[in-house]
Amino acid sequence: MMNHHVTKVTDDIHWVGVVDWNLRDFHGFSVSRGGSYNAFLINGDEPILVDTVKAPFTREFLDKIAAVTDLKKIRHFIINHIEPDHSGAFTEVLKHIPNATLYASENAISGLHRYYEFDRPIELVHSGEIRKLGNHVCQFVETPMAHWPDSMMTYMPEEQVLFSSDIFGQLRATSERFDNELDPPYEDAALYYANIILPFNHIVLKTLEFLPKNKITPRLILPDHGIFWKDHIADILAYYRCWASGRCAHGALILYDSMWGSTERMADRLYRELSKSDVKVRKLHIRSTPMSQIVTEIMYSKAVLIGTPTINDTIFPSVGQLLIYLQGLRPGPGRIWGGFGSYGWGGGGVEYLMRWYRENQYELIGDPVESRFRPSADINQGCDDMAQAIVERLQAASQ
Ligand code: FEO
């Protein structure tokens, strides 16, 4: 059954988004508790629609808007971002809002024409531009590559409301909408940041500087996913600064997979040695942990050790898959990395890993530790030495 519940965000702003309770895979990124696609109707004397929802939810979305206003009365339609989780309903919505003027960034306009067939003109808006749309004022802030070329935020200076698009979003299905109705979802925001925003840290830092310098000081942040930030705006801004700058990265993370237990013994040995120090250490088995969770743990780590067995002369598939995921998310800078693993015949897994590190210019803690079959006393000593080198580096970095 459809849920036609609309949330009143302010006197004029209504949440007309949808909750996707069954979402578990967001373009390959595991989400264990669903998600939401937020969209908003600003019901002033010239109603404004901000964003849409994923295509399967189009009917529910239209019904929600209709519960607030006659769709034909909508005069303005702002498209902050064209990724299909927000633009999926675009062409269907256009049929129902014949009297609306459309606004988008240059990259959004060209992207919409590549995704969809439609013949409505779209007004080009630029960063900093301010438009009076009926009794509301909207200022556009482009944030290209945070996280798509078209990405844009819209700010209402009079109400101090920021429609932040994907930035500050989180994926979790909830019936609550505001951050004061539940424990603030920082963990969900961290998972979202690590898997979506991480490659664009520098743009996030620039945006965080740009906002206050340009008198954009929201008292309400409405992202396109998840909970609205109201009572915890300073906290989520601080988290974003921390994640984007790498200041949240502490301690060591051991990631490994194992065929017959040898690489796991090495991971256990590294964990044991690191645990003797005051360095915070975590150990995750790659095949048992969702990739999205692994990346979040990497975001919070200063040293990352990856262990792989060799299979058929090359890297173990689960470890190779992790490397491909990291290739795009680029968590390398600001962290030290190490490799270890095992083989039975001629090796190849650790060699692949170390070559990948070098090709991607990851800073290495030293030579890898590699064991033929079960780790010998020498190999255990090699793990202990690697752990000690990490402890020294992390202790030096914290002084
Ligand atoms: Fe939520 Fe970039 O889409």
Side-chain angles (χ1 to χ4, degrees):
M1 201 176 90
M2 283 188 191
N3 173 9
H4 294 156
H5 179 68
V6 169
T7 301
K8 206 163 174 188
V9 180
T10 68
D11 283 347
D12 275 359
I13 300 173
H14 300 261
W15 172 78
V16 290
V18 297
V19 179
D20 188 349
W21 290 96
N22 296 330
L23 181 71
R24 294 293 179 274
D25 181 322
F26 186 74
H27 57 53
F29 149 24
S30 309
V31 284
S32 57
R33 296 183 290 191
S36 61
Y37 316 110
N38 294 334
F40 303 92
L41 182 73
I42 306 163
N43 197 25
D45 57 8
E46 294 184 12
I48 307 165
L49 181 62
V50 182
D51 294 327
T52 76
V53 296
K54 204 171 175 179
F57 298 92
T58 303
R59 186 70 257 160
E60 181 178 344
F61 175 58
L62 290 170
D63 286 349
K64 284 188 173 189
I65 300 170
V68 183
T69 188
D70 177 352
L71 281 116
K72 292 192 171 55
K73 287 188 180 165
I74 292 177
R75 292 285 304 279
H76 309 281
F77 176 20
I78 296 169
I79 303 125
N80 276 329
H81 181 29
I82 66 162
E83 195 167 4
D85 49 332
H86 308 296
S87 71
F90 177 73
T91 46
E92 191 58 29
V93 167
L94 289 189
K95 293 179 196 162
H96 296 266
I97 55 169
N99 301 310
T101 302
L102 281 54
Y103 308 88
S105 68
E106 188 173 357
N107 285 322
I109 294 172
S110 71
L112 285 168
H113 281 290
R114 291 203 164 260
Y115 263 134
Y116 308 109
E117 291 204 1
F118 63 99
D119 58 8
R120 291 272 286 276
I122 305 179
E123 281 201 20
L124 171 64
V125 292
H126 295 101
S127 220
E129 195 172 326
I130 295 174
R131 295 280 184 110
K132 184 147 178 41
L133 306 179
N135 62 329
H136 289 292
V137 172
C138 289
Q139 178 177 1
F140 303 103
V141 181
E142 288 179 83
T143 55
M145 294 319 298
H147 72 118
W148 271 30
D150 56 278
S151 295
M152 183 171 88
M153 305 197 278
T154 298
Y155 184 57
M156 294 171 67
E158 290 170 354
E159 296 84 350
Q160 291 177 270
V161 175
L162 181 67
F163 298 91
S164 64
S165 193
D166 281 327
I167 297 182
F168 308 123
Q170 338 92 46
L171 285 173
R172 189 181 3 155
T174 59
S175 56
E176 295 87 354
R177 300 279 153 258
F178 291 94
D179 61 1
N180 57 7
E181 297 174 325
L182 72 183
D183 287 341
Y186 304 127
E187 269 186 39
D188 299 316
L191 190 84
Y192 190 85
Y193 190 98
N195 287 272
I196 304 275
I197 314 278
L198 191 67
F200 312 109
N201 282 336
H202 57 296
I203 298 168
V204 169
L205 290 172
K206 255 169 59 183
T207 304
L208 293 176
E209 252 183 58
F210 176 90
L211 296 179
K213 267 192 195 157
N214 288 275
K215 300 192 171 49
I216 297 175
T217 50
R219 57 175 186 79
L220 190 55
I221 295 179
L222 307 178
D224 271 358
H225 296 285
I227 291 295
F228 311 150
W229 300 102
K230 182 181 176 190
D231 287 1
H232 298 279
I233 288 179
D235 296 326
I236 190 62
L237 289 173
Y239 272 113
Y240 258 61
R241 264 184 216 105
C242 207
W243 298 329
S245 64
R247 275 189 288 111
C248 282
H250 302 288
L253 175 66
I254 301 164
L255 302 169
Y256 74 98
D257 212 323
S258 201
M259 271 178 79
W260 294 109
S262 296
T263 306
E264 183 159 50
R265 283 170 186 265
M266 298 171 79
D268 289 346
R269 184 79 185 199
L270 285 161
Y271 177 77
R272 192 190 81 167
E273 280 306 298
L274 285 163
S275 300
K276 289 178 184 168
S277 72
D278 57 0
V279 164
K280 180 179 156 192
V281 56
R282 287 145 295 153
K283 177 167 69 81
L284 297 176
H285 178 252
I286 293 171
R287 254 182 303 164
S288 313
T289 314
M291 207 76 84
S292 45
Q293 190 59 46
I294 290 176
V295 170
T296 310
E297 294 291 347
I298 290 174
M299 183 172 80
Y300 279 117
S301 304
K302 192 77 184 162
V304 183
L305 302 175
I306 299 180
T308 182
T310 292
I311 183 166
N312 297 327
D313 305 328
T314 191
I315 198 163
F316 202 63
S318 60
V319 187
Q321 188 186 11
L322 173 65
L323 298 189
I324 293 292
Y325 196 47
L326 297 184
Q327 187 108 32
L329 290 172
R330 303 192 288 274
R335 296 180 173 81
I336 49 172
W337 300 76
F340 63 96
S342 59
Y343 64 97
W345 322 324
V350 171
E351 189 185 324
Y352 185 110
L353 170 67
M354 299 311 288
R355 188 169 61 243
W356 184 89
Y357 277 146
R358 284 192 296 273
E359 282 171 3
N360 288 283
Q361 299 178 328
Y362 279 43
E363 185 186 347
L364 296 174
I365 187 67
D367 291 334
V369 186
E370 202 173 3
S371 176
R372 182 158 189 253
F373 295 126
R374 188 170 163 165
S376 61
D378 283 357
I379 296 296
N380 285 337
Q381 187 58 51
C383 291
D384 294 353
D385 293 346
M386 180 181 268
Q388 189 52 39
I390 286 168
V391 170
E392 285 168 15
R393 284 287 296 274
L394 295 187
Q395 285 174 341
S398 67
Q399 280 161 10

